[in-house]
PDB file of all heavy atoms in Angstrom:
ATOM      1  N   MET A 380     118.579  87.595 102.937  1.00 91.00           N
ATOM      2  CA  MET A 380     118.919  87.050 104.321  1.00 91.00           C
ATOM      3  C   MET A 380     117.750  86.138 104.760  1.00 91.00           C
ATOM      4  O   MET A 380     117.946  85.071 105.354  1.00 91.00           O
ATOM      5  CB  MET A 380     119.162  88.167 105.260  1.00 91.00           C
ATOM      6  CG  MET A 380     120.501  88.810 105.107  1.00 91.00           C
ATOM      7  SD  MET A 380     121.936  87.816 105.529  1.00 91.00           S
ATOM      8  CE  MET A 380     121.851  87.924 107.366  1.00 91.00           C
ATOM      9  N   LEU A 381     116.492  86.598 104.513  1.00 91.00           N
ATOM     10  CA  LEU A 381     115.405  85.771 104.912  1.00 91.00           C
ATOM     11  C   LEU A 381     115.241  84.512 104.059  1.00 91.00           C
ATOM     12  O   LEU A 381     114.948  83.461 104.567  1.00 91.00           O
ATOM     13  CB  LEU A 381     114.092  86.585 104.789  1.00 91.00           C
ATOM     14  CG  LEU A 381     113.932  87.763 105.781  1.00 91.00           C
ATOM     15  CD1 LEU A 381     112.736  88.611 105.438  1.00 91.00           C
ATOM     16  CD2 LEU A 381     113.844  87.290 107.200  1.00 91.00           C
ATOM     17  N   ALA A 382     115.577  84.639 102.752  1.00 93.00           N
ATOM     18  CA  ALA A 382     115.441  83.489 101.886  1.00 93.00           C
ATOM     19  C   ALA A 382     116.552  82.494 102.083  1.00 93.00           C
ATOM     20  O   ALA A 382     116.356  81.262 101.830  1.00 93.00           O
ATOM     21  CB  ALA A 382     115.495  83.982 100.433  1.00 93.00           C
ATOM     22  N   THR A 383     117.743  82.910 102.596  1.00 91.00           N
ATOM     23  CA  THR A 383     118.866  82.006 102.683  1.00 91.00           C
ATOM     24  C   THR A 383     119.149  81.568 104.126  1.00 91.00           C
ATOM     25  O   THR A 383     120.109  80.921 104.396  1.00 91.00           O
ATOM     26  CB  THR A 383     120.147  82.665 102.107  1.00 91.00           C
ATOM     27  OG1 THR A 383     120.414  83.814 102.876  1.00 91.00           O
ATOM     28  CG2 THR A 383     120.027  82.987 100.667  1.00 91.00           C
ATOM     29  N   GLY A 384     118.237  81.965 105.055  1.00 89.00           N
ATOM     30  CA  GLY A 384     118.443  81.632 106.420  1.00 89.00           C
ATOM     31  C   GLY A 384     119.639  82.387 107.045  1.00 89.00           C
ATOM     32  O   GLY A 384     120.257  81.803 107.889  1.00 89.00           O
ATOM     33  N   GLY A 385     119.840  83.596 106.573  1.00 85.00           N
ATOM     34  CA  GLY A 385     120.943  84.396 107.219  1.00 85.00           C
ATOM     35  C   GLY A 385     122.379  84.079 106.684  1.00 85.00           C
ATOM     36  O   GLY A 385     123.299  84.191 107.435  1.00 85.00           O
ATOM     37  N   ASP A 386     122.414  83.704 105.402  1.00 90.00           N
ATOM     38  CA  ASP A 386     123.697  83.352 104.756  1.00 90.00           C
ATOM     39  C   ASP A 386     124.387  84.635 104.296  1.00 90.00           C
ATOM     40  O   ASP A 386     124.062  85.125 103.141  1.00 90.00           O
ATOM     41  CB  ASP A 386     123.526  82.347 103.652  1.00 90.00           C
ATOM     42  CG  ASP A 386     124.832  81.793 103.096  1.00 90.00           C
ATOM     43  OD1 ASP A 386     125.848  82.454 103.231  1.00 90.00           O
ATOM     44  OD2 ASP A 386     124.819  80.712 102.497  1.00 90.00           O
ATOM     45  N   PHE A 387     125.289  85.224 105.058  1.00 90.00           N
ATOM     46  CA  PHE A 387     125.943  86.424 104.656  1.00 90.00           C
ATOM     47  C   PHE A 387     126.675  86.349 103.269  1.00 90.00           C
ATOM     48  O   PHE A 387     126.642  87.180 102.480  1.00 90.00           O
ATOM     49  CB  PHE A 387     126.963  86.882 105.733  1.00 90.00           C
ATOM     50  CG  PHE A 387     126.349  87.396 107.019  1.00 90.00           C
ATOM     51  CD1 PHE A 387     126.291  86.589 108.158  1.00 90.00           C
ATOM     52  CD2 PHE A 387     125.974  88.692 107.065  1.00 90.00           C
ATOM     53  CE1 PHE A 387     125.781  87.091 109.303  1.00 90.00           C
ATOM     54  CE2 PHE A 387     125.399  89.211 108.299  1.00 90.00           C
ATOM     55  CZ  PHE A 387     125.288  88.371 109.372  1.00 90.00           C
ATOM     56  N   LEU A 388     127.365  85.210 103.155  1.00 92.00           N
ATOM     57  CA  LEU A 388     128.220  85.045 101.999  1.00 92.00           C
ATOM     58  C   LEU A 388     127.499  85.020 100.665  1.00 92.00           C
ATOM     59  O   LEU A 388     127.932  85.582  99.611  1.00 92.00           O
ATOM     60  CB  LEU A 388     129.108  83.814 102.093  1.00 92.00           C
ATOM     61  CG  LEU A 388     130.111  83.796 103.274  1.00 92.00           C
ATOM     62  CD1 LEU A 388     130.956  82.617 103.260  1.00 92.00           C
ATOM     63  CD2 LEU A 388     130.996  85.052 103.300  1.00 92.00           C
ATOM     64  N   THR A 389     126.312  84.410 100.676  1.00 94.00           N
ATOM     65  CA  THR A 389     125.449  84.379  99.499  1.00 94.00           C
ATOM     66  C   THR A 389     125.021  85.801  99.107  1.00 94.00           C
ATOM     67  O   THR A 389     125.106  86.167  97.915  1.00 94.00           O
ATOM     68  CB  THR A 389     124.210  83.551  99.673  1.00 94.00           C
ATOM     69  OG1 THR A 389     124.626  82.175  99.938  1.00 94.00           O
ATOM     70  CG2 THR A 389     123.312  83.585  98.488  1.00 94.00           C
ATOM     71  N   VAL A 390     124.662  86.581 100.042  1.00 94.00           N
ATOM     72  CA  VAL A 390     124.262  87.995  99.825  1.00 94.00           C
ATOM     73  C   VAL A 390     125.472  88.759  99.210  1.00 94.00           C
ATOM     74  O   VAL A 390     125.327  89.555  98.284  1.00 94.00           O
ATOM     75  CB  VAL A 390     123.779  88.714 101.073  1.00 94.00           C
ATOM     76  CG1 VAL A 390     123.388  90.150 100.827  1.00 94.00           C
ATOM     77  CG2 VAL A 390     122.585  87.929 101.643  1.00 94.00           C
ATOM     78  N   PHE A 391     126.644  88.585  99.830  1.00 94.00           N
ATOM     79  CA  PHE A 391     127.874  89.235  99.360  1.00 94.00           C
ATOM     80  C   PHE A 391     128.161  88.905  97.856  1.00 94.00           C
ATOM     81  O   PHE A 391     128.609  89.778  97.057  1.00 94.00           O
ATOM     82  CB  PHE A 391     129.040  88.949 100.258  1.00 94.00           C
ATOM     83  CG  PHE A 391     128.937  89.494 101.634  1.00 94.00           C
ATOM     84  CD1 PHE A 391     129.643  88.978 102.696  1.00 94.00           C
ATOM     85  CD2 PHE A 391     128.038  90.576 101.928  1.00 94.00           C
ATOM     86  CE1 PHE A 391     129.536  89.466 104.005  1.00 94.00           C
ATOM     87  CE2 PHE A 391     127.942  91.110 103.195  1.00 94.00           C
ATOM     88  CZ  PHE A 391     128.666  90.555 104.227  1.00 94.00           C
ATOM     89  N   TRP A 392     127.981  87.651  97.531  1.00 95.00           N
ATOM     90  CA  TRP A 392     128.288  87.253  96.082  1.00 95.00           C
ATOM     91  C   TRP A 392     127.272  87.835  95.155  1.00 95.00           C
ATOM     92  O   TRP A 392     127.646  88.356  94.052  1.00 95.00           O
ATOM     93  CB  TRP A 392     128.191  85.726  96.008  1.00 95.00           C
ATOM     94  CG  TRP A 392     129.551  85.009  96.367  1.00 95.00           C
ATOM     95  CD1 TRP A 392     129.708  84.136  97.429  1.00 95.00           C
ATOM     96  CD2 TRP A 392     130.738  85.159  95.676  1.00 95.00           C
ATOM     97  NE1 TRP A 392     131.020  83.742  97.403  1.00 95.00           N
ATOM     98  CE2 TRP A 392     131.687  84.341  96.405  1.00 95.00           C
ATOM     99  CE3 TRP A 392     131.204  85.913  94.576  1.00 95.00           C
ATOM    100  CZ2 TRP A 392     133.004  84.245  95.979  1.00 95.00           C
ATOM    101  CZ3 TRP A 392     132.525  85.769  94.221  1.00 95.00           C
ATOM    102  CH2 TRP A 392     133.442  84.964  94.887  1.00 95.00           C
ATOM    103  N   ILE A 393     125.963  87.882  95.528  1.00 96.00           N
ATOM    104  CA  ILE A 393     125.015  88.451  94.629  1.00 96.00           C
ATOM    105  C   ILE A 393     125.236  89.933  94.461  1.00 96.00           C
ATOM    106  O   ILE A 393     124.931  90.543  93.398  1.00 96.00           O
ATOM    107  CB  ILE A 393     123.578  88.126  95.160  1.00 96.00           C
ATOM    108  CG1 ILE A 393     123.350  86.585  95.118  1.00 96.00           C
ATOM    109  CG2 ILE A 393     122.494  88.851  94.332  1.00 96.00           C
ATOM    110  CD1 ILE A 393     122.014  86.187  95.738  1.00 96.00           C
ATOM    111  N   ALA A 394     125.771  90.529  95.515  1.00 94.00           N
ATOM    112  CA  ALA A 394     126.008  92.032  95.442  1.00 94.00           C
ATOM    113  C   ALA A 394     127.030  92.426  94.379  1.00 94.00           C
ATOM    114  O   ALA A 394     127.102  93.585  94.035  1.00 94.00           O
ATOM    115  CB  ALA A 394     126.520  92.465  96.809  1.00 94.00           C
ATOM    116  N   THR A 395     127.845  91.431  93.885  1.00 95.00           N
ATOM    117  CA  THR A 395     128.833  91.814  92.852  1.00 95.00           C
ATOM    118  C   THR A 395     128.119  92.147  91.513  1.00 95.00           C
ATOM    119  O   THR A 395     128.720  92.926  90.716  1.00 95.00           O
ATOM    120  CB  THR A 395     129.797  90.637  92.632  1.00 95.00           C
ATOM    121  OG1 THR A 395     129.123  89.453  92.107  1.00 95.00           O
ATOM    122  CG2 THR A 395     130.475  90.276  93.879  1.00 95.00           C
ATOM    123  N   LEU A 396     126.933  91.613  91.283  1.00 96.00           N
ATOM    124  CA  LEU A 396     126.260  91.778  89.979  1.00 96.00           C
ATOM    125  C   LEU A 396     125.969  93.216  89.647  1.00 96.00           C
ATOM    126  O   LEU A 396     126.363  93.702  88.517  1.00 96.00           O
ATOM    127  CB  LEU A 396     125.001  90.858  89.907  1.00 96.00           C
ATOM    128  CG  LEU A 396     125.237  89.375  90.066  1.00 96.00           C
ATOM    129  CD1 LEU A 396     123.948  88.645  90.043  1.00 96.00           C
ATOM    130  CD2 LEU A 396     126.196  88.891  88.993  1.00 96.00           C
ATOM    131  N   PRO A 397     125.231  93.981  90.511  1.00 95.00           N
ATOM    132  CA  PRO A 397     124.985  95.356  90.137  1.00 95.00           C
ATOM    133  C   PRO A 397     126.248  96.265  90.061  1.00 95.00           C
ATOM    134  O   PRO A 397     126.255  97.235  89.341  1.00 95.00           O
ATOM    135  CB  PRO A 397     124.013  95.865  91.196  1.00 95.00           C
ATOM    136  CG  PRO A 397     124.186  94.876  92.383  1.00 95.00           C
ATOM    137  CD  PRO A 397     124.551  93.582  91.736  1.00 95.00           C
ATOM    138  N   ALA A 398     127.322  95.846  90.760  1.00 95.00           N
ATOM    139  CA  ALA A 398     128.552  96.659  90.689  1.00 95.00           C
ATOM    140  C   ALA A 398     129.125  96.633  89.299  1.00 95.00           C
ATOM    141  O   ALA A 398     129.496  97.656  88.765  1.00 95.00           O
ATOM    142  CB  ALA A 398     129.572  96.123  91.734  1.00 95.00           C
ATOM    143  N   PHE A 399     129.178  95.443  88.698  1.00 96.00           N
ATOM    144  CA  PHE A 399     129.721  95.295  87.364  1.00 96.00           C
ATOM    145  C   PHE A 399     128.740  95.891  86.356  1.00 96.00           C
ATOM    146  O   PHE A 399     129.184  96.400  85.296  1.00 96.00           O
ATOM    147  CB  PHE A 399     130.053  93.838  87.066  1.00 96.00           C
ATOM    148  CG  PHE A 399     131.334  93.397  87.722  1.00 96.00           C
ATOM    149  CD1 PHE A 399     131.331  92.749  88.921  1.00 96.00           C
ATOM    150  CD2 PHE A 399     132.615  93.767  87.220  1.00 96.00           C
ATOM    151  CE1 PHE A 399     132.473  92.346  89.599  1.00 96.00           C
ATOM    152  CE2 PHE A 399     133.772  93.363  87.861  1.00 96.00           C
ATOM    153  CZ  PHE A 399     133.733  92.669  89.020  1.00 96.00           C
ATOM    154  N   LEU A 400     127.474  95.829  86.641  1.00 95.00           N
ATOM    155  CA  LEU A 400     126.482  96.472  85.739  1.00 95.00           C
ATOM    156  C   LEU A 400     126.749  97.995  85.745  1.00 95.00           C
ATOM    157  O   LEU A 400     126.607  98.642  84.630  1.00 95.00           O
ATOM    158  CB  LEU A 400     125.055  96.174  86.254  1.00 95.00           C
ATOM    159  CG  LEU A 400     123.931  96.873  85.457  1.00 95.00           C
ATOM    160  CD1 LEU A 400     123.888  96.446  84.004  1.00 95.00           C
ATOM    161  CD2 LEU A 400     122.565  96.594  86.120  1.00 95.00           C
ATOM    162  N   ALA A 401     127.059  98.581  86.866  1.00 94.00           N
ATOM    163  CA  ALA A 401     127.303 100.064  86.886  1.00 94.00           C
ATOM    164  C   ALA A 401     128.493 100.405  85.987  1.00 94.00           C
ATOM    165  O   ALA A 401     128.467 101.421  85.273  1.00 94.00           O
ATOM    166  CB  ALA A 401     127.563 100.475  88.363  1.00 94.00           C
ATOM    167  N   VAL A 402     129.547  99.640  86.038  1.00 95.00           N
ATOM    168  CA  VAL A 402     130.708  99.906  85.233  1.00 95.00           C
ATOM    169  C   VAL A 402     130.353  99.840  83.756  1.00 95.00           C
ATOM    170  O   VAL A 402     130.729 100.723  82.919  1.00 95.00           O
ATOM    171  CB  VAL A 402     131.852  98.927  85.520  1.00 95.00           C
ATOM    172  CG1 VAL A 402     133.062  99.214  84.648  1.00 95.00           C
ATOM    173  CG2 VAL A 402     132.277  99.055  86.993  1.00 95.00           C
ATOM    174  N   ALA A 403     129.595  98.805  83.388  1.00 95.00           N
ATOM    175  CA  ALA A 403     129.168  98.677  81.947  1.00 95.00           C
ATOM    176  C   ALA A 403     128.335  99.822  81.483  1.00 95.00           C
ATOM    177  O   ALA A 403     128.526 100.381  80.391  1.00 95.00           O
ATOM    178  CB  ALA A 403     128.444  97.370  81.806  1.00 95.00           C
ATOM    179  N   LEU A 404     127.427 100.290  82.325  1.00 92.00           N
ATOM    180  CA  LEU A 404     126.554 101.444  82.010  1.00 92.00           C
ATOM    181  C   LEU A 404     127.376 102.688  81.844  1.00 92.00           C
ATOM    182  O   LEU A 404     127.158 103.500  80.847  1.00 92.00           O
ATOM    183  CB  LEU A 404     125.521 101.645  83.084  1.00 92.00           C
ATOM    184  CG  LEU A 404     124.530 102.820  82.910  1.00 92.00           C
ATOM    185  CD1 LEU A 404     123.732 102.638  81.618  1.00 92.00           C
ATOM    186  CD2 LEU A 404     123.592 102.891  84.106  1.00 92.00           C
ATOM    187  N   LEU A 405     128.347 102.891  82.638  1.00 92.00           N
ATOM    188  CA  LEU A 405     129.235 104.057  82.539  1.00 92.00           C
ATOM    189  C   LEU A 405     130.054 104.033  81.227  1.00 92.00           C
ATOM    190  O   LEU A 405     130.208 105.050  80.495  1.00 92.00           O
ATOM    191  CB  LEU A 405     130.200 104.122  83.742  1.00 92.00           C
ATOM    192  CG  LEU A 405     131.205 105.282  83.729  1.00 92.00           C
ATOM    193  CD1 LEU A 405     130.454 106.581  83.804  1.00 92.00           C
ATOM    194  CD2 LEU A 405     132.182 105.168  84.946  1.00 92.00           C
TER     195      LEU A 405
END
Side-chain angles (χ1 to χ4, degrees):
M380 286 290 282
L381 293 173
T383 62
D386 188 337
F387 288 101
L388 297 184
T389 297
V390 180
F391 294 156
W392 276 116
I393 295 174
T395 65
L396 300 177
F399 285 98
L400 175 62
V402 178
L404 179 59
L405 179 61

